[in-house]
């Protein structure tokens, strides 16, 4: 496992911290669509993402969910860190969007490493900042953009994450991410197809 740690974090963390991560972290390889965290759970470990993508969503009282941000290679989840530090229950739903490889860090190490390793402290602060910027972007997107623009932004983000212009998903799944109805998504996707931006297939969306 230490080779994976060095590959992804060797230029970021001190050698001594790399050794500690290798010693205490639990390696996980999970398939697409795997629930990693549910609302109401206590967090016992913090994830470091080695590969793949994870969706972080916020559920409402009616069971619908709003996409907050994505985690990709080298990222960790600021909201998970907050729950770890405060020993509070999770208020988010985390699910793998693609197959992913993770290192799970015991929460007891977070405070210890923050005082022991400058690189870890900087990593935590940087992670908070990056996730906050993504949250603000999501809020701006909801508040100031119409659904056409939100859907186009969702498609742009998706093709970057999966590195493909073929997006295998359903209209219902897109609607869930955007917190709208399937009917609205289907209508807007058809409009985009008529404008030659995409081509709709039975099981995927092709971006032109």
């Amino acid at each position: 496992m230490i080779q994976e740690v060095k590959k992804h974090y060797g230029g970021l963390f001190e050698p001594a911290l790399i050794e500690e991560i290798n010693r205490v972290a639990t390696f996980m390889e999970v398939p697409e669509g795997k629930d990693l965290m549910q609302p109401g759970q206590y967090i016992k470990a913090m994830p470091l993402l080695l590969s793949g993508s994870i969706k972080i969503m916020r559920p409402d009282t009616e069971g619908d969910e709003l996409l907050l941000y994505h985690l990709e290679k080298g990222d960790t989840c600021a909201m998970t860190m907050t729950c770890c530090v405060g020993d509070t229950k999770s208020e988010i739903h985390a699910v793998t969007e693609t197959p992913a490889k993770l290192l799970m860090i015991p929460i007891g190490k977070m405070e210890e490493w923050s005082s022991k390793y400058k690189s870890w402290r900087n990593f935590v602060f940087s992670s908070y900042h990056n996730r906050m910027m993504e949250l603000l972007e999501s809020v701006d997107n909801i508040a100031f953009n119409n659904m056409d623009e939100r859907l186009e932004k969702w498609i742009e983000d998706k093709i970057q994450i999966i590195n493909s212009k073929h997006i295998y998903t359903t209209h219902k799944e897109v609607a869930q991410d955007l917190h709208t109805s399937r009917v609205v998504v289907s209508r807007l996707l058809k409009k985009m197809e008529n404008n030659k931006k995409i081509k709709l297939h039975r099981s995927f969306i092709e971006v032109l």
Side-chain angles (χ1 to χ4, degrees), residues 83-124:
C83 292
C84 289
V85 173
D87 194 27
T88 57
K89 293 180 180 179
S90 168
E91 296 185 2
I92 61 169
H93 179 203
V95 60
T96 51
E97 189 165 25
T98 67
K101 294 180 181 180
L102 304 166
L103 291 176
M104 303 303 292
I105 308 295
I107 61 173
K109 290 295 179 180
M110 289 190 57
E111 187 173 352
E112 175 188 334
W113 288 353
S114 290
S115 60
K116 189 175 180 181
Y117 298 109
K118 181 179 179 181
S119 65
W120 178 260
R121 188 165 61 250
N122 291 341
F123 174 71
V124 169

Side-chain angles (χ1 to χ4, degrees), residues 26-186:
T26 300
F27 176 77
M28 292 178 59
E29 193 165 1
V30 293
E32 177 184 347
K34 173 74 172 179
D35 285 329
L36 298 175
M37 191 185 308
Q38 293 279 9
Q41 287 183 336
Y42 281 103
I43 310 304
K44 302 300 182 184
M46 189 194 78
L48 294 179
L49 190 55
L50 298 177
S51 68
S53 174
I54 298 172
K55 289 197 298 186
I56 305 298
M57 296 172 289
R58 167 75 169 170
D60 64 17
T61 56
E62 298 179 356
D64 295 324
E65 295 183 315
L66 176 66
L67 176 65
L68 298 180
Y69 52 79
H70 292 90
L71 299 179
E72 297 181 79
K73 181 175 67 176
D75 287 342
T76 190
C77 180
M79 301 189 80
T80 301
M81 289 191 286
T82 301
C83 292
C84 289
V85 173
D87 194 27
T88 57
K89 293 180 180 179
S90 168
E91 296 185 2
I92 61 169
H93 179 203
V95 60
T96 51
E97 189 165 25
T98 67
K101 294 180 181 180
L102 304 166
L103 291 176
M104 303 303 292
I105 308 295
I107 61 173
K109 290 295 179 180
M110 289 190 57
E111 187 173 352
E112 175 188 334
W113 288 353
S114 290
S115 60
K116 189 175 180 181
Y117 298 109
K118 181 179 179 181
S119 65
W120 178 260
R121 188 165 61 250
N122 291 341
F123 174 71
V124 169
F125 288 150
S126 177
S127 296
Y128 272 120
H129 174 76
N130 292 338
R131 298 296 84 77
M132 180 60 69
M133 291 301 99
E134 290 172 344
L135 277 174
L136 290 176
E137 184 179 355
S138 294
V139 170
D140 287 346
N141 196 29
I142 294 168
F144 304 120
N145 294 343
N146 59 36
M147 191 55 69
D148 300 64
E149 294 169 321
R150 289 178 61 194
L151 178 58
E152 289 190 17
K153 179 67 166 56
W154 182 93
I155 290 174
E156 289 173 4
D157 290 344
K158 192 76 170 181
I159 61 177
Q160 288 185 350
I161 289 167
I162 64 175
N163 195 30
S164 171
K165 291 191 175 184
H166 289 185
I167 303 173
Y168 288 86
T169 188
T170 66
H171 294 191
K172 181 180 179 181
E173 289 169 341
V174 179
Q176 288 173 338
D177 279 356
L178 296 177
H179 210 267
T180 187
S181 71
R182 182 191 59 78
V183 174
V184 168
V185 166
S186 296

